[in-house]
């Protein structure tokens, strides 16, 4: 069984740039959720994708967007980067069966630094 | 809105001792999951234990057990025979069951196991 993987591991961007982060879900899972974890804080929910559509969104502006592909992998895109976007970005995969969500399993994260 | 509170920012215990991490949460819902996740310095968020709110029996996983008090909205984690590898940040987390699949995390407790 393959676990959740994320790429890249680390990324450095400058303010105003755009970034794309990638996530491959665990085999057998159909749902991907993205979280932002600022230094010293708990993760904050950004959004979730299920069946290639957004299935819930946290309190993040529209410049945070995402995609889910037919193989259930996912991308997180952030436009017009700001210094406060510097954080660890975590992807979690899970299985929604008969409309009921199950436990989320996390990837190792992407550390984004915005200069 | 649901909230999760961890009142112990940092704890230290000697190896082989037992330690209890506290967590309280607030919700008006009746059907939900509670989790403890562990995040070691490697950053990978690892599921430690899961409790379903409708189950009265406390969950256990080897050296890890919880004390789930639904009426008091309390969900503490007990680690028995603590090991050096237990050193990590521990997050208490809440998720609704059936809708709104986001996980709400507490701010975490940093646990140091001392040799």
């Amino acid at each position: 069984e393959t676990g959740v993987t994320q790429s890249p591991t680390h990324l450095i961007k400058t303010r105003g740039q755009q970034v794309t982060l990638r996530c491959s879900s665990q085999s057998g899972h159909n749902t991907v959720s993205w979280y932002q974890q600022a230094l010293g804080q708990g993760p904050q929910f950004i959004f979730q994708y299920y069946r290639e559509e957004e299935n819930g969104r946290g309190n993040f502006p529209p410049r945070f967007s995402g995609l889910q592909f037919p193989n259930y992998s996912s991308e997180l895109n952030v436009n017009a980067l700001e210094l406060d976007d510097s954080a660890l970005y975590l992807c979690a995969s899970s299985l929604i069966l008969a409309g009921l969500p199950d436990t989320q399993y996390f990837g190792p994260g992407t550390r984004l630094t915005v200069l | 809105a649901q909230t999760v509170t961890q009142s112990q920012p940092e704890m230290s215990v000697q190896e082989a001792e037992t330690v209890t991490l506290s967590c309280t949460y607030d919700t008006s819902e009746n059907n939900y999951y509670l989790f403890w996740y562990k995040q070691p310095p490697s950053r990978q968020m690892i599921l430690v234990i899961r409790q379903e709110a409708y189950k009265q029996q406390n969950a256990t996983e080897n050296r890890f057990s919880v004390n789930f008090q639904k009426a008091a909205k309390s969900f503490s984690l007990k680690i028995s025979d603590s090991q050096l590898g237990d050193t990590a940040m521990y997050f208490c987390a809440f998720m609704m069951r059936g809708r709104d699949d986001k996980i709400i995390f507490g701010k975490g407790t940093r646990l140091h196991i001392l040799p």
Side-chain angles (χ1 to χ4, degrees), chain A residues 14-20 36 46-47 54 57 59-66 76-86 89 112 114:
Chain A
T14 56
R15 196 169 46 181
Q17 285 189 311
Q18 177 266 344
V19 68
T20 297
Q36 180 194 66
I46 303 174
F47 44 55
E54 192 177 282
R57 187 178 184 94
N59 190 25
F60 281 81
R63 59 190 186 84
F64 286 78
S65 63
L76 163 65
N77 298 290
V78 186
N79 294 322
L81 283 167
E82 300 178 359
L83 297 179
D84 284 349
D85 296 334
S86 294
Y89 287 84
L112 173 65
V114 182

Side-chain angles (χ1 to χ4, degrees), chain B residues 25-38:
Chain B
Y25 60 95
D26 189 24
T27 184
S28 58
E29 302 292 335
N30 199 44
N31 200 4
Y32 50 88
Y33 295 114
L34 293 164
F35 307 92
W36 280 96
Y37 281 93
K38 164 186 175 181

Side-chain angles (χ1 to χ4, degrees), chain B residues 26-110:
Chain B
D26 189 24
T27 184
S28 58
E29 302 292 335
N30 199 44
N31 200 4
Y32 50 88
Y33 295 114
L34 293 164
F35 307 92
W36 280 96
Y37 281 93
K38 164 186 175 181
Q39 189 176 41
S42 66
R43 308 179 325 201
Q44 179 99 37
M45 191 77 75
I46 301 164
L47 177 68
V48 174
I49 202 164
R50 175 179 107 163
Q51 176 80 43
E52 294 165 3
Y54 69 88
K55 290 186 177 178
Q56 292 187 336
Q57 187 171 7
N58 289 324
T60 63
E61 286 288 344
N62 301 313
R63 297 183 295 108
F64 299 88
S65 62
V66 297
N67 183 4
F68 173 48
Q69 302 289 327
K70 191 173 183 178
K73 296 179 183 174
S74 169
F75 184 61
S76 61
L77 174 70
K78 185 171 84 170
I79 306 174
S80 302
D81 186 27
S82 56
Q83 301 174 359
L84 296 178
D86 296 333
T87 292
M89 195 75 167
Y90 286 80
F91 290 98
C92 179
F94 171 100
M95 187 175 86
M96 289 289 299
R97 190 171 186 269
R99 60 183 175 87
D100 195 356
D101 308 333
K102 68 181 178 184
I103 296 177
I104 299 167
F105 288 87
K107 291 190 174 182
T109 295
R110 186 172 300 281

